[in-house]
Amino acid sequence: MLNMVHFLKKVLKDKLTDIEISKLYSSFDIIGEIAIIKIPESIEEKKEIIGNSLMDNIKNVKSVFSQSSPVRGEFRIRDLELIAGKDQTITYYKEHGCIFKVDVRNTYFSPRLSTERIRISNLISDDKLQNQKDVVINMFGGVGTYSIIIAKKNPQCIVYNIDSNIHAHVLCQENAKLNKVENRVFSIFGDAKDVINSNLSNTANRVLMPLPEKAHEFIDEAVLSLYNRTGIIHYFSHVAAKNKKDVIPEVEKDNELKFKSYLIDLFNITVVREVGPRIYQVVSDIKVM
Ligand SMILES: C[S@@+](CC[C@H](N)C(=O)[O-])C[C@H]1O[C@@H](n2cnc3c(N)ncnc32)[C@H](O)[C@@H]1O
């Protein structure tokens, strides 16, 4: 995520008016050779100018897309419109010493979760000092970003990466090979509930649930997948709060309700980012006892 206020002011100063520049959002994503930007309707007609300016001024960017819908649907994907360069939505992205083939049109991908990915991966490294067994289930694994970083940083760890989007499943298989962890990251195609009920109950000591909009519907399966129904769950959610300081009590209240059938210790809450006006994406680290 780049802060583009200064950058765009600089590259667009002779092409857009100050008022038009002020309407732009304050950030955009660069994923490998692709830049993705949201353009407000009021300056839609300037999209090619904006796209070409980004391409001309950012090294390595070969395609610029305007994001024309929110991330949506089961697969959490978005509509993209080409505004400059090649019509190519597959690219390679590097993060934390790993490389990922991603398809920004057909699969979910966000570089904005990079800090969270390494945080969770490091937590596993810390736990290993306590001789924990390392079997991780990523219920909503996408192209394998969390799973592969976890496996790469934690050589004793095996990870089951579940996803119901066939494109994500295939890319996760390819990414596991690219990063030489194909013997420890297993990409499984299917609905997380079905996969756990039929094959992965009583298996893991850690479960990731990176689907904040719907993770609450999968809590029973997450617990079922834990070995002896005990272990750690990284539970992603969206929480409404008046401001950032009110987020933590709201999360505590919400988790108490959502996990009421289980004995838990909510030992950490990370506020990842604001995803809408007064809506925060949050990860709760929960020990199920
Ligand atoms: C928000 S994305 C996160 C992907 C990945 N963890 C990442 O951060 O890049 C959620 C993923 O869950 C998948 N998904 C949605 N519903 C699912 C389900 N019922 N079972 C398995 N995967 C599902 C989507 O296809 C999507 O790839």
Side-chain angles (χ1 to χ4, degrees), residues 33 92 103 136 163 184 217 232:
E33 295 184 338
Y92 289 85
D103 178 345
V136 177
D163 207 286
R184 292 187 294 113
E217 295 175 16
I232 291 173

Side-chain angles (χ1 to χ4, degrees), residues 25 38 70 112 213 237-244 247 271-282:
Y25 297 108
K38 286 186 196 162
R112 300 183 188 202
E213 303 76 10
S237 59
H238 283 161
V239 171
K242 276 194 262 48
N243 53 50
K244 208 169 167 183
V247 176
V271 182
V272 180
R273 55 187 171 147
E274 194 171 359
V275 288
R278 291 176 291 284
I279 310 274
Y280 295 84
Q281 184 175 334
V282 169

Side-chain angles (χ1 to χ4, degrees), residues 148-215:
I148 288 167
I149 292 169
I150 287 171
K152 198 82 183 167
K153 304 277 173 212
N154 298 282
Q156 307 311 319
C157 203
I158 72 166
V159 190
Y160 297 99
N161 189 91
I162 307 171
D163 207 286
S164 57
N165 178 349
I166 188 73
H167 300 285
H169 161 64
V170 171
L171 283 170
C172 179
Q173 284 177 319
E174 287 187 43
N175 286 329
K177 284 194 190 122
L178 268 178
N179 292 283
K180 300 189 173 47
V181 289
E182 71 272 24
N183 55 345
R184 292 187 294 113
V185 173
F186 305 109
S187 179
I188 303 176
F189 171 56
D191 171 77
K193 280 191 200 225
D194 296 344
V195 172
I196 288 171
N197 279 307
S198 51
N199 285 314
L200 289 180
S201 63
N202 208 27
T203 300
N205 59 310
R206 189 179 296 268
V207 177
L208 272 64
M209 305 182 76
L211 182 61
E213 303 76 10
K214 282 179 100 175

